[in-house]
Amino acid sequence: GETAARSFTFRTDWPPDVGGRDSGPSPGEALLGALGGCVAMTYITKAAGRGVDIRALEVTIEARVDLQGAFELDSVRPGLSDVTVTLSVLSDVDDAVLDELGRTTRRTSTVYDSLASPVPMDLVVRRLAAAGSTP
């Protein structure tokens, strides 16, 4: 699928082994990419606000998902079962400062919070009128 956001299009697709064409990240990979990007930007922003120089930052995300739930092959949960976000930081400050920045990031990253805390959601389906038809 494609989603238009601002002035760009964001494409998602499945890998070929589950019926896709591999023309973009899977929706789950996009979700985890958004998490990694938000955590990285939040960490760097909070560090800069405290005058902490971060020379390098790597975000590694490990997650588990059982696709049997998504494809209704088993009654397991279709979503992620656990996620670990690891920040590897190159900086001259001590570990206590890096850890405090991590706690602040966990508390203030919008995507981290949205995934870690239940978010009320609803799914609405509406029929589109075919081109040239009258409602």
Side-chain angles (χ1 to χ4, degrees):
E2 288 186 3
T3 302
R6 293 191 314 263
S7 62
F8 63 91
T9 300
F10 189 80
R11 174 183 293 276
T12 58
D13 197 1
W14 290 103
D17 56 341
V18 292
R21 291 177 292 175
D22 207 20
S23 65
S26 72
E29 290 167 331
L31 178 70
L32 294 174
L35 172 62
C38 187
V39 165
M41 290 170 45
T42 302
Y43 194 91
I44 293 294
T45 300
K46 298 301 181 180
R50 289 178 169 83
V52 174
D53 181 39
I54 303 294
R55 294 198 311 263
L57 175 68
E58 293 179 8
V59 179
T60 304
I61 299 177
E62 298 177 57
R64 292 183 200 192
V65 64
D66 188 338
L67 292 179
Q68 293 184 85
F71 293 110
E72 298 182 298
L73 301 173
D74 198 346
S75 61
V76 297
R77 181 173 186 233
L80 298 169
S81 60
D82 63 83
V83 178
T84 301
V85 180
T86 302
L87 300 177
S88 301
V89 185
L90 179 60
S91 180
D92 292 332
V93 298
D94 62 33
D95 288 348
V97 173
L98 299 180
D99 290 342
E100 174 54 33
L101 286 168
R103 286 189 294 278
T104 300
T105 297
R106 185 181 308 114
R107 192 175 62 250
T108 61
S109 165
T110 57
V111 176
Y112 188 98
D113 179 73
S114 295
L115 293 173
S117 305
V119 177
M121 295 178 64
D122 196 11
L123 178 72
V124 176
V125 177
R126 284 189 278 214
R127 180 181 307 276
L128 288 174
S133 68
T134 57

